[in-house]
Amino acid sequence: MRFQWIAMIVAVAACGLVGCDVPIAHFGIDSLYVDKIEGLESVELSAQQQEDVATILTALFGTPDEPYIPDGEEISEVVDPKMLAMAAGVIGSDELGRARGLYREHCVHCHGINGDGKGPTAPFLNPYPRDYRRGVFKFKSTPRGSRPTHDDLKRTLVNGVPGTSMPSFKLLPDSQIESLVNYVKYLSIRGEVERLLIEETAIELDDGERLIDESNLAESGEWARDEILSSVAEKWGGADSEVTAVPARPSYDNEQLLASIHRGKQLFYGAVANCVKCHGDSQLGDGQVDDYDDWVKDYADKWISQTDETTKQQMLDQLLAAGALRPRNIIPRDLRAGVYRGGRRPVDLYWRMHDGIDGTPMPAAMMLQPGATSGLTPDDLWDLVNYVQSLPYESMSTTGPDGPVYQRSRM
Amino acid sequence: MHKFGLRFTVWAAIVPTVLLVGCSESYNPASAPNMKLSLELRRAMGGDSSAGGASDSGAAQVREPVGWATLKGRFVLDGTAPEPTRLTISGSDASICAPGGKPVFSDALVVGSDGGIKGVLVYCTADLPPDEPFTHSSARPGQGGEVEFDQKACVFLSHVFGMQTGQTMRILNSDPIGHNTKIDETPINQIVGAGSSITYTPNEQWKKPKKVSCSIHPWMEAYMIVRENGYFAVTDENGNFEIPNLPAGIDLEFRFWHETVSLDGVDVGGKPVKKGRVEVTLPPEGMTINGVLNGSALE
């Protein structure tokens, strides 16, 4: 009897010691994008073709525990492989006490192991966490379509995104923030390369044809690195030279500032700036509220344009079952709340208006071009910045271009 | 053996089993990389990233073209065309976009009275050297000129169109209200003030069409493609298209695209379009496609 007790205790204890395997983190594949491209190109990617995409990605980028960046002129200017170690892997520290696994400590629960913005907390957040894999970021100093600069991403990490669940990481040492910025760029570039490889497989290859030529690995590998990866890295490398220059804000005395705010108000309602169409008559962000952002449109385009209710519901069920987050409309900012997600400095607001907000319906302003009769000047934009900054302090009953527009009267 | 002893032994076996089973992690093998191959691939890349940059594209054309040929054809729908989809006009601009509550219909599928399908995009994707005898002077890349893209009553006047790199797209707004024009996956999402215009000059060709939309009026949609050479066409309201001056006698690949209709199965010189594409060699006398699409395939 005693022997059996001991045997059992030993067995259970052994079990506890061996424990659950720490699951090996893996990046997985962007299956929603595979589904989308398959639909668009009327093809079906075979298991082997999908494995090849994952294999090339692993060759180029390693794994979540052991990230890797191939040698290359373009990529080395964008991501510092030495900076990745601190952010990658499991949470802990090395022999010298330096932090390890910062991404999994601070980011993964919302942004996901591969940066897909679908960590376990994501369904509960509004807005959803950013999916890095398209290389598209909202709050930056570069034009639409350009990648953010290193400093743009760093500013978002340091300040957080006010009005969302993204906190400030101001209290982390600079070296840790630098490491995380590098890691975000790494995940983003990896995601863009993944999309290109999926597109390449669907568009360029025949049924069952493979992306990797096993008889000529050098050629397959160099193609992936020198054509696909380089094309993505080049875009990131060019960001610093694409920053939108911001002319100095004019200096105003009290009267001039009031006049500027008044001009901004006229522009807000006018047909050149067109702000009113989306931000609404009372600037509450209740103008055009039926649109979606590009991250949602990326996987739910067909669902959005479907008009038949039954089919629409079926499509939604399929999307959710495939791992999509429930699509939400994108709502224009309530300009009276005084909360500015991309930063509250005048320069931040200027950039938002001048370049629009990438990935969203917010367009770039129509700036006055040489020879054109219509368009905004930099001073016009500053008038709009001044007006927007005055809105949280303006009484609701003084809105409207020609007089008061009460919320109640619009219902 | 003592009877409790057996029970304990059983428990001692079951508990660890349950614990072990409970720990397994699901892992989708479809997305799993081949780790061994990925390391071999990495090794095979070598350290020198400058090598291997030279591609053999274009130079691999073995045969020389034997003159110029025309690809033309017509796409028709066999069966009844579905009722056009009525668009939902929302927002404060309804008086301009749908004056008097007039219904506005989608341009996604436009079928002519005799069945011709409008808006089928046909483009040649062969990697052709940009000069003769492969590319005719009329289709040569880099030719300038403007392509007008207008909008009126909240409708894009060109629903499907192509243009060449080097050309400038002039985006006009003929409405008394402001629009914004957004082209997916490009830098363009810009306000176009009432009665004014903006320009966009794409500098690289696209593999597939991209969507043009207006965020203020989300029902507005169009599609466009940018190609280096001029070998593309869009079917007119009778379903006809024509691409002249293509190189004859060499292997060419064509893509066929429509916003809502699959063109698979259409016969091109004895070969069916598969996955929206077909490889053909044009005879000098040219080729005519008669694409008959089964109406029952449409929802």
Side-chain angles (χ1 to χ4, degrees), chain A residues 55 58 63, chain B residues 33-40:
Chain A
T55 302
T58 308
T63 63
Chain B
N34 179 335
M35 293 305 285
K36 184 167 162 285
L37 186 57
S38 76
L39 290 175
E40 285 171 17

Side-chain angles (χ1 to χ4, degrees), chain B residues 65-77:
Chain B
V66 293
W68 307 111
T70 298
L71 177 73
K72 60 180 176 183
R74 179 159 190 252
F75 289 92
V76 290
L77 188 73

Side-chain angles (χ1 to χ4, degrees), chain A residues 130-392:
Chain A
R130 180 59 50 244
D131 174 354
Y132 309 142
R133 297 171 303 171
R134 303 177 72 237
V136 178
F137 293 84
K138 284 184 176 180
F139 305 121
K140 59 195 176 75
S141 56
T142 55
R144 193 183 186 89
S146 298
R147 299 296 170 265
T149 66
H150 184 91
D151 289 347
D152 287 335
L153 292 176
K154 190 169 178 179
R155 201 163 43 243
T156 298
L157 256 75
V158 170
N159 295 336
V161 181
T164 77
S165 310
M166 172 73 184
S168 157
F169 290 94
K170 213 171 242 166
L171 296 179
L172 294 187
D174 187 64
S175 60
Q176 298 196 3
I177 291 182
E178 279 292 325
S179 169
L180 284 169
V181 172
N182 269 280
Y183 199 74
V184 168
K185 289 199 276 186
Y186 158 81
L187 286 178
S188 191
I189 291 169
R190 185 192 171 280
E192 287 184 74
V193 169
E194 178 178 17
R195 289 168 69 92
L196 289 174
L197 292 174
I198 292 169
E199 285 170 26
E200 197 73 24
T201 307
I203 299 178
E204 299 298 337
L205 300 186
D206 292 330
D207 270 343
E209 194 187 341
R210 291 188 57 184
L211 213 46
I212 301 175
D213 177 0
E214 289 208 44
S215 64
N216 193 347
L217 288 180
E219 196 186 347
S220 299
E222 279 162 13
W223 167 80
R225 183 190 59 190
D226 300 333
E227 288 194 30
I228 303 294
L229 172 59
S230 287
S231 70
V232 175
E234 218 172 286
K235 290 186 196 163
W236 282 85
D240 280 335
S241 61
E242 294 172 77
V243 172
T244 298
V246 178
R249 187 191 201 188
S251 56
Y252 310 96
D253 64 24
N254 217 7
E255 288 303 308
Q256 287 166 330
L257 181 61
L258 286 174
S260 167
I261 290 172
H262 180 74
R263 287 193 302 272
K265 183 174 184 173
Q266 307 304 312
L267 289 168
F268 181 93
Y269 289 99
V272 177
N274 273 303
C275 316
V276 65
K277 292 294 172 196
C278 295
H279 291 284
D281 288 335
S282 306
Q283 299 84 21
L284 293 165
D286 55 354
Q288 178 52 263
V289 293
D290 295 336
D291 211 352
Y292 295 87
D293 68 29
D294 289 358
W295 291 272
V296 170
K297 284 179 181 169
D298 193 45
Y299 65 84
D301 213 14
K302 289 245 158 63
W303 172 81
I304 292 168
S305 56
Q306 179 59 247
T307 48
D308 179 70
E309 285 300 323
T310 318
T311 318
K312 201 173 171 90
Q313 185 58 46
Q314 285 167 354
M315 290 169 91
L316 181 62
D317 292 343
Q318 279 169 12
L319 281 174
L320 298 179
L325 294 169
R326 187 175 289 275
R328 293 192 187 117
N329 286 109
I330 183 149
I331 307 299
R333 187 62 46 243
D334 172 358
L335 298 175
R336 291 182 172 271
V339 176
Y340 308 100
R341 291 187 178 171
R344 57 176 300 127
R345 299 172 303 169
V347 66
D348 294 317
L349 301 181
Y350 188 98
W351 274 325
R352 297 301 92 77
M353 293 179 193
H354 186 278
D355 293 329
I357 300 179
D358 217 342
T360 78
M362 169 76 182
M366 185 173 76
M367 299 304 286
L368 186 65
Q369 299 302 318
T373 51
S374 174
L376 301 178
T377 64
D379 281 356
D380 290 338
L381 276 197
W382 283 124
D383 290 341
L384 275 166
V385 169
N386 293 331
Y387 173 60
V388 166
Q389 286 197 312
S390 78
L391 280 170

Side-chain angles (χ1 to χ4, degrees), chain A residues 1 4-5 7-8 11-12 15-16 18-21 23-24 26 28-29 33 36-37 40-43 47 50-52 54-56 58-63 66 68 70-73 134 144-145 195 199-200 202-207 210 212 214 217-222 224-227 271-274 277-278 288 290-291 294 297 301 305-307 311 355-367 369 374, chain B residues 1-2 4-6 8-9 11-12 15-17 19-20 22-23 25-35 37-42 44-56 85-86 88 90-93 176-194 196-198 204 207-208 211 213-219 221 223 253 255 257 259 262 264 274-277 279 299:
Chain A
M1 171 90 183
Q4 273 113 12
W5 265 111
M8 178 163 162
V12 172
C15 217
V18 171
C20 286
D21 260 347
I24 295 170
H26 54 85
I29 196 164
Y33 196 61
K36 174 187 168 161
I37 294 292
L40 279 178
E41 298 292 324
S42 3
V43 294
Q50 296 195 40
E51 183 189 295
D52 279 1
T55 302
I56 293 178
T58 308
L60 292 175
F61 297 99
T63 63
E66 283 180 59
Y68 175 86
D71 291 336
E73 210 176 301
R134 303 177 72 237
R144 193 183 186 89
R195 289 168 69 92
E199 285 170 26
E200 197 73 24
I203 299 178
E204 299 298 337
L205 300 186
D206 292 330
D207 270 343
R210 291 188 57 184
I212 301 175
E214 289 208 44
L217 288 180
E219 196 186 347
S220 299
E222 279 162 13
R225 183 190 59 190
D226 300 333
E227 288 194 30
V272 177
N274 273 303
K277 292 294 172 196
C278 295
Q288 178 52 263
D290 295 336
D291 211 352
D294 289 358
K297 284 179 181 169
D301 213 14
S305 56
Q306 179 59 247
T307 48
T311 318
D355 293 329
I357 300 179
D358 217 342
T360 78
M362 169 76 182
M366 185 173 76
M367 299 304 286
Q369 299 302 318
S374 174
Chain B
M1 191 182 256
H2 196 285
F4 287 111
L6 181 64
F8 278 120
T9 313
W11 274 110
V15 171
T17 310
L19 281 173
L20 283 172
C23 286
E25 246 253 315
S26 69
Y27 184 36
N28 175 14
S31 63
N34 179 335
M35 293 305 285
L37 186 57
S38 76
L39 290 175
E40 285 171 17
L41 200 56
R42 190 182 288 175
M45 280 179 213
D48 182 8
S49 63
S50 60
S55 91
D56 58 354
T85 312
R86 185 175 172 173
T88 311
S90 58
S92 56
D93 291 329
I177 50 168
H179 285 290
N180 75 299
T181 300
K182 176 168 183 274
I183 309 173
D184 282 358
E185 298 164 68
T186 74
I188 295 295
N189 178 6
Q190 204 181 327
I191 290 281
V192 190
S196 52
S197 71
I198 61 167
E204 57 182 21
K207 284 182 179 171
K208 49 183 189 196
K211 190 197 252 183
S213 59
C214 170
S215 312
I216 300 173
H217 312 105
W219 63 88
E221 274 183 17
Y223 288 85
E253 189 193 65
R255 300 255 161 114
W257 177 93
E259 189 181 339
S262 164
D264 281 10
K274 225 175 128 187
K275 302 196 296 191
R277 71 199 68 169
E279 276 175 25
E299 285 163 90

